[in-house]
Short mmCIF file of all heavy atoms in Angstrom, two decimals:
data_model
loop_
_atom_site.label_atom_id
_atom_site.label_comp_id
_atom_site.label_asym_id
_atom_site.label_seq_id
_atom_site.Cartn_x
_atom_site.Cartn_y
_atom_site.Cartn_z
N LEU A 1 -38.71 9.96 67.03
CA LEU A 1 -37.25 9.86 67.14
C LEU A 1 -36.60 11.13 66.59
O LEU A 1 -35.66 11.66 67.19
CB LEU A 1 -36.75 8.62 66.39
CG LEU A 1 -35.25 8.35 66.45
CD1 LEU A 1 -34.80 8.17 67.88
CD2 LEU A 1 -34.91 7.11 65.62
N GLU A 2 -37.11 11.62 65.46
CA GLU A 2 -36.55 12.84 64.88
C GLU A 2 -36.80 14.04 65.80
O GLU A 2 -35.92 14.89 65.98
CB GLU A 2 -37.17 13.09 63.50
CG GLU A 2 -36.75 12.09 62.44
CD GLU A 2 -35.26 12.07 62.23
OE1 GLU A 2 -34.65 13.14 62.09
OE2 GLU A 2 -34.68 10.96 62.24
N VAL A 3 -37.99 14.12 66.38
CA VAL A 3 -38.30 15.22 67.30
C VAL A 3 -37.36 15.19 68.50
O VAL A 3 -36.82 16.21 68.92
CB VAL A 3 -39.77 15.15 67.77
CG1 VAL A 3 -40.01 16.10 68.94
CG2 VAL A 3 -40.71 15.48 66.62
N SER A 4 -37.13 13.99 69.05
CA SER A 4 -36.26 13.87 70.22
C SER A 4 -34.84 14.28 69.88
O SER A 4 -34.13 14.87 70.71
CB SER A 4 -36.30 12.45 70.77
OG SER A 4 -35.72 11.53 69.87
N ARG A 5 -34.40 14.00 68.67
CA ARG A 5 -33.06 14.42 68.24
C ARG A 5 -32.95 15.93 68.17
O ARG A 5 -31.95 16.52 68.58
CB ARG A 5 -32.71 13.79 66.89
CG ARG A 5 -32.39 12.30 66.96
CD ARG A 5 -32.27 11.70 65.58
NE ARG A 5 -31.89 10.29 65.64
CZ ARG A 5 -31.96 9.45 64.62
NH1 ARG A 5 -32.42 9.88 63.45
NH2 ARG A 5 -31.59 8.19 64.76
N PHE A 6 -33.99 16.56 67.63
CA PHE A 6 -33.99 18.02 67.59
C PHE A 6 -33.98 18.60 69.00
O PHE A 6 -33.22 19.53 69.30
CB PHE A 6 -35.23 18.53 66.83
CG PHE A 6 -35.01 18.70 65.36
CD1 PHE A 6 -35.50 17.78 64.46
CD2 PHE A 6 -34.35 19.82 64.87
CE1 PHE A 6 -35.32 17.93 63.10
CE2 PHE A 6 -34.16 19.98 63.51
CZ PHE A 6 -34.64 19.05 62.62
N GLU A 7 -34.84 18.07 69.87
CA GLU A 7 -34.95 18.59 71.23
C GLU A 7 -33.65 18.44 72.00
O GLU A 7 -33.30 19.28 72.83
CB GLU A 7 -36.09 17.88 71.98
CG GLU A 7 -37.47 18.03 71.36
CD GLU A 7 -38.00 19.44 71.42
OE1 GLU A 7 -37.46 20.25 72.19
OE2 GLU A 7 -38.97 19.74 70.70
N ALA A 8 -32.92 17.36 71.73
CA ALA A 8 -31.66 17.11 72.44
C ALA A 8 -30.47 17.78 71.78
O ALA A 8 -29.36 17.70 72.30
CB ALA A 8 -31.42 15.60 72.52
N GLY A 9 -30.70 18.47 70.66
CA GLY A 9 -29.61 19.13 69.96
C GLY A 9 -28.66 18.15 69.28
O GLY A 9 -27.50 18.47 69.04
N LYS A 10 -29.15 16.95 68.97
CA LYS A 10 -28.30 15.91 68.37
C LYS A 10 -28.65 15.66 66.91
O LYS A 10 -28.20 14.67 66.33
CB LYS A 10 -28.44 14.61 69.17
CG LYS A 10 -27.96 14.71 70.61
CD LYS A 10 -28.15 13.40 71.35
CE LYS A 10 -27.67 13.51 72.80
NZ LYS A 10 -27.88 12.25 73.55
N LYS A 11 -29.44 16.53 66.33
CA LYS A 11 -29.84 16.34 64.94
C LYS A 11 -28.76 16.91 64.01
O LYS A 11 -28.42 18.08 64.09
CB LYS A 11 -31.17 17.04 64.68
CG LYS A 11 -31.66 16.93 63.24
CD LYS A 11 -31.94 15.49 62.87
CE LYS A 11 -32.41 15.37 61.44
NZ LYS A 11 -32.65 13.98 61.04
N ASN A 12 -28.23 16.04 63.16
CA ASN A 12 -27.22 16.47 62.20
C ASN A 12 -27.88 16.75 60.86
O ASN A 12 -28.64 15.93 60.35
CB ASN A 12 -26.14 15.40 62.05
CG ASN A 12 -25.36 15.17 63.32
OD1 ASN A 12 -25.03 16.12 64.02
ND2 ASN A 12 -25.04 13.91 63.62
N MET A 13 -27.58 17.89 60.28
CA MET A 13 -28.16 18.28 59.00
C MET A 13 -27.08 18.20 57.91
O MET A 13 -25.93 18.56 58.13
CB MET A 13 -28.71 19.71 59.07
CG MET A 13 -29.64 19.97 60.24
SD MET A 13 -31.21 19.10 60.12
CE MET A 13 -32.06 20.12 58.94
N SER A 14 -27.47 17.72 56.74
CA SER A 14 -26.56 17.65 55.59
C SER A 14 -26.90 18.79 54.64
O SER A 14 -27.91 18.74 53.92
CB SER A 14 -26.71 16.30 54.87
OG SER A 14 -26.40 15.23 55.74
N TRP A 15 -26.09 19.82 54.66
CA TRP A 15 -26.39 21.04 53.89
C TRP A 15 -25.90 20.89 52.45
O TRP A 15 -24.74 20.55 52.20
CB TRP A 15 -25.76 22.26 54.55
CG TRP A 15 -26.31 22.51 55.92
CD1 TRP A 15 -25.80 22.06 57.09
CD2 TRP A 15 -27.51 23.21 56.25
NE1 TRP A 15 -26.59 22.46 58.14
CE2 TRP A 15 -27.65 23.17 57.65
CE3 TRP A 15 -28.47 23.87 55.50
CZ2 TRP A 15 -28.71 23.76 58.32
CZ3 TRP A 15 -29.54 24.47 56.16
CH2 TRP A 15 -29.64 24.41 57.54
N GLU A 16 -26.81 21.16 51.52
CA GLU A 16 -26.48 21.11 50.11
C GLU A 16 -27.49 21.96 49.34
O GLU A 16 -28.53 22.36 49.87
CB GLU A 16 -26.53 19.66 49.61
CG GLU A 16 -27.91 19.02 49.77
CD GLU A 16 -27.94 17.59 49.27
OE1 GLU A 16 -27.17 17.27 48.36
OE2 GLU A 16 -28.75 16.80 49.79
N ARG A 17 -27.17 22.23 48.08
CA ARG A 17 -28.13 22.94 47.23
C ARG A 17 -29.31 22.01 46.97
O ARG A 17 -29.15 20.91 46.47
CB ARG A 17 -27.47 23.34 45.90
CG ARG A 17 -26.53 24.54 46.03
CD ARG A 17 -25.71 24.68 44.75
NE ARG A 17 -26.55 24.72 43.56
CZ ARG A 17 -27.08 25.82 43.02
NH1 ARG A 17 -26.85 26.99 43.59
NH2 ARG A 17 -27.80 25.76 41.92
N SER A 18 -30.51 22.47 47.34
CA SER A 18 -31.70 21.63 47.21
C SER A 18 -32.73 22.33 46.34
O SER A 18 -33.09 23.50 46.60
CB SER A 18 -32.30 21.33 48.59
OG SER A 18 -31.35 20.67 49.41
N ASN A 19 -33.21 21.63 45.33
CA ASN A 19 -34.19 22.16 44.40
C ASN A 19 -35.59 21.84 44.93
O ASN A 19 -36.05 20.70 44.85
CB ASN A 19 -33.98 21.56 43.01
CG ASN A 19 -34.83 22.24 41.95
OD1 ASN A 19 -35.98 22.58 42.19
ND2 ASN A 19 -34.25 22.42 40.77
N LEU A 20 -36.27 22.85 45.47
CA LEU A 20 -37.59 22.63 46.06
C LEU A 20 -38.63 22.23 45.02
O LEU A 20 -39.56 21.48 45.32
CB LEU A 20 -38.05 23.89 46.80
CG LEU A 20 -37.27 24.23 48.07
CD1 LEU A 20 -37.78 25.53 48.68
CD2 LEU A 20 -37.39 23.10 49.09
N GLN A 21 -38.47 22.73 43.81
CA GLN A 21 -39.42 22.35 42.75
C GLN A 21 -39.33 20.85 42.46
O GLN A 21 -40.37 20.17 42.32
CB GLN A 21 -39.12 23.14 41.48
CG GLN A 21 -40.17 22.97 40.38
CD GLN A 21 -39.92 23.89 39.20
OE1 GLN A 21 -38.96 24.65 39.18
NE2 GLN A 21 -40.79 23.82 38.21
N GLU A 22 -38.12 20.32 42.41
CA GLU A 22 -37.95 18.88 42.19
C GLU A 22 -38.50 18.08 43.36
O GLU A 22 -39.13 17.04 43.17
CB GLU A 22 -36.47 18.56 41.99
CG GLU A 22 -35.89 19.05 40.67
CD GLU A 22 -34.43 18.66 40.52
OE1 GLU A 22 -33.88 18.05 41.48
OE2 GLU A 22 -33.84 18.97 39.47
N ILE A 23 -38.26 18.57 44.58
CA ILE A 23 -38.75 17.87 45.76
C ILE A 23 -40.27 17.79 45.75
O ILE A 23 -40.86 16.74 46.02
CB ILE A 23 -38.25 18.57 47.04
CG1 ILE A 23 -36.73 18.40 47.18
CG2 ILE A 23 -38.96 18.03 48.28
CD1 ILE A 23 -36.12 19.19 48.33
N ILE A 24 -40.91 18.90 45.41
CA ILE A 24 -42.38 18.93 45.36
C ILE A 24 -42.89 17.95 44.32
O ILE A 24 -43.85 17.19 44.57
CB ILE A 24 -42.87 20.36 45.06
CG1 ILE A 24 -42.61 21.27 46.27
CG2 ILE A 24 -44.35 20.36 44.70
CD1 ILE A 24 -42.88 22.73 46.00
N GLN A 25 -42.28 17.91 43.14
CA GLN A 25 -42.72 17.00 42.08
C GLN A 25 -42.59 15.55 42.52
O GLN A 25 -43.47 14.71 42.26
CB GLN A 25 -41.90 17.25 40.80
CG GLN A 25 -42.16 18.60 40.15
CD GLN A 25 -43.55 18.70 39.52
OE1 GLN A 25 -44.30 17.74 39.48
NE2 GLN A 25 -43.90 19.88 39.05
N GLU A 26 -41.50 15.23 43.22
CA GLU A 26 -41.30 13.86 43.71
C GLU A 26 -42.39 13.47 44.71
O GLU A 26 -42.95 12.37 44.64
CB GLU A 26 -39.93 13.75 44.39
CG GLU A 26 -38.74 13.82 43.43
CD GLU A 26 -37.43 13.82 44.17
OE1 GLU A 26 -37.45 13.61 45.41
OE2 GLU A 26 -36.38 14.03 43.54
N VAL A 27 -42.67 14.36 45.65
CA VAL A 27 -43.66 14.06 46.68
C VAL A 27 -45.05 13.94 46.06
O VAL A 27 -45.82 13.03 46.42
CB VAL A 27 -43.65 15.15 47.78
CG1 VAL A 27 -44.80 14.94 48.76
CG2 VAL A 27 -42.32 15.13 48.52
N VAL A 28 -45.38 14.83 45.14
CA VAL A 28 -46.69 14.78 44.49
C VAL A 28 -46.85 13.48 43.70
O VAL A 28 -47.92 12.84 43.74
CB VAL A 28 -46.88 16.01 43.58
CG1 VAL A 28 -48.09 15.82 42.66
CG2 VAL A 28 -47.05 17.27 44.42
#
């Protein structure tokens, strides 16, 4: 579903300051 949204140009992105170090720690 996400791929189809990208392909159709209908994917909406929420832009904000994102801390990649925190994201990695959460996923790990």
Side-chain angles (χ1 to χ4, degrees):
L1 182 59
E2 291 301 312
V3 168
S4 67
R5 286 171 177 166
F6 270 103
E7 300 293 345
K10 297 179 180 178
K11 179 64 181 178
N12 295 320
M13 309 292 282
S14 300
W15 298 94
E16 60 180 331
R17 284 168 53 89
S18 301
N19 189 321
L20 291 178
Q21 188 174 1
E22 290 182 357
I23 292 174
I24 290 172
Q25 293 290 355
E26 290 175 8
V27 173
V28 167

